[in-house]
Amino acid sequence: MVKYAIGDFFADGFFSPSATEGGNVGMIIVMEKNASEDQIRHVSERLQEEGFQVHLSKGVKKTIIGAIGERTPAVMESFEVLPGVEKIVPIIQPFKLASREFQEKSTSIKVGEAVVGNGSLQIIAGPCAVEGREKFLEAAHLVKEAGATMLRGGAFKPRTSPYSFQGLAKQGLEILAEARELTGLPIVTEIMDTRMVELVAEYADILQVGARNMQNFFLLKELGKIDKPVLLKRGPSATIEEWIMAAEYIMSSGNKKVIMCERGIRTFEKYTRNTLDLSAVPLIKQLTHLPVIVDPSHGTGKWKLVEPMALAAVAAGCDGLMVEVHQNPSEALSDGPQSLIPDNFKRLVLKINKISSVLKNDY
Ligand code: PEP
Ligand code: MN
């Protein structure tokens, strides 16, 4: 377990102004088409001398250099005249590393055999919580057979009531690992607390940050220090910009493997648990280079709405889905009303595959 002294937070600049605070902190240097390696190196070195963090992105046609640091007009002018530089573009948006301007190519993240963000569709399925060994292993086999490509299940559950089932904790992680062993499916599970990062990272293939923790900046910074993908759920009342800034926290702390997950936001509507904002899918794709998946289970709270919204999400261009599946939803310890039974999940996968193949042929 990680133990902190208060000085740790000062030591890594936690309370000092950082690149993620927005303002005049970023610019992109577009190099000329035929800029030489020497010219690119020279510009990068000059940027570092000026105190900028440098991110090189070599495209087919052009090289662009993303620079994070204090951007003054004088600094911009001094770089504009360097040999090989075509132009300097200030980044006005508060997010930098996540931005599509910064990196044109979509990020794809390898997780076991699967790749998130390479045009394939990942289907993450399983019960809301790991409730017990036998039941979970059975669920794992059922979702795999139906076509899931990854397995989900919470070992630590963020419940509204402290009296509700809180998850099996370490025992839950061990069951998840056994299910991975048996099915070969990578596992996705929630991390709720900085003190658990080391433990959860030992077991999980993808660490999920739940909606309630989207702006737990201490947790985000800790997740920036690990080398495992992070699935970042949108907060129930987070704007798109706040959500991307949360991703920026993880990325600016060193971990570039961030997967965004739209799971509905709180609105005045009461028929659904949340309002699934599918416009987030194309928006995240336009604004950032990160993969985006959709969770129609939490997004609607009603199992009968899961299939149509999942299909709509695929049509909107998401990189994957996260769907809650339970053998016996009426007895589930959490989120039964939004869980599909395995047969309905199987039907959903068949329909999803049909939609994806139509889209693939069309574009
Ligand atoms: C979950 O995936 O079970 C969960 C708690 O999701 P969210 O954080 O989106 O509510
Ligand atoms: Mn749930």
Side-chain angles (χ1 to χ4, degrees), residues 79-198:
F79 278 92
E80 212 147 34
V81 295
L82 289 180
V85 172
E86 182 187 306
K87 60 179 174 186
I88 311 280
V89 185
I91 309 177
I92 314 293
Q93 279 156 332
F95 44 89
K96 320 285 173 199
L97 299 175
S99 145
R100 184 67 86 176
E101 286 172 309
F102 221 90
Q103 183 186 308
E104 208 184 338
K105 190 171 169 288
S106 296
T107 285
S108 58
I109 300 167
K110 199 162 163 12
V111 189
E113 302 284 289
V115 182
V116 189
N118 66 345
S120 64
L121 191 80
Q122 297 305 320
I123 305 175
I124 307 169
C128 179
V130 180
E131 299 174 355
R133 183 174 172 274
E134 310 297 311
K135 263 202 287 185
F136 190 78
L137 296 183
E138 186 191 36
H141 283 296
L142 287 167
V143 297
K144 165 147 191 188
E145 204 184 298
T149 57
M150 292 189 206
L151 189 59
R152 64 150 288 147
F156 297 94
K157 294 307 302 174
R159 306 306 300 280
T160 303
S161 164
Y163 310 116
S164 302
F165 175 61
Q166 304 284 307
L168 296 180
K170 186 163 191 282
Q171 192 198 347
L173 296 174
E174 284 161 3
I175 296 169
L176 280 159
E178 189 179 350
R180 170 181 48 210
E181 196 74 20
L182 293 170
T183 59
L185 297 179
I187 56 177
V188 183
T189 197
E190 181 162 351
I191 169 79
M192 283 174 45
D193 193 302
T194 48
R195 289 167 296 183
M196 297 293 164
V197 172
E198 231 173 278

Side-chain angles (χ1 to χ4, degrees), residues 127-129 152-154 156-159 190 208-213 231 233-236 261-264 273-274 295 298-299 322 324 334-335 338:
C128 179
R152 64 150 288 147
F156 297 94
K157 294 307 302 174
R159 306 306 300 280
E190 181 162 351
Q208 173 176 329
V209 175
R212 293 156 191 81
N213 263 319
L231 187 148
K233 287 206 163 189
R234 181 176 182 182
C261 177
E262 164 63 37
R263 49 76 74 200
R273 180 178 180 184
N274 291 294
D295 170 353
H298 294 87
M322 174 176 266
E324 286 186 340
S334 58
D335 289 350
Q338 68 193 34

Side-chain angles (χ1 to χ4, degrees), residues 12-77:
D12 77 349
F14 200 89
F15 293 115
S16 62
S18 75
T20 53
E21 286 189 350
N24 299 334
V25 293
M27 61 181 177
I28 287 168
I29 291 137
V30 181
M31 299 300 291
E32 281 165 357
K33 233 180 14 217
N34 48 9
S36 69
E37 286 297 323
D38 272 354
Q39 289 171 332
I40 295 169
R41 194 173 326 114
H42 178 62
V43 173
S44 302
E45 282 167 5
R46 279 288 305 272
L47 282 166
Q48 275 159 352
E49 280 162 27
E50 293 277 349
F52 284 89
Q53 251 182 57
V54 176
H55 300 264
L56 206 62
S57 163
K58 287 194 174 165
V60 198
K61 291 190 197 131
K62 280 179 187 172
T63 293
I64 65 166
I65 306 172
I68 296 181
E70 183 71 8
R71 180 193 75 223
T72 61
V75 164
M76 283 177 63
E77 272 165 32

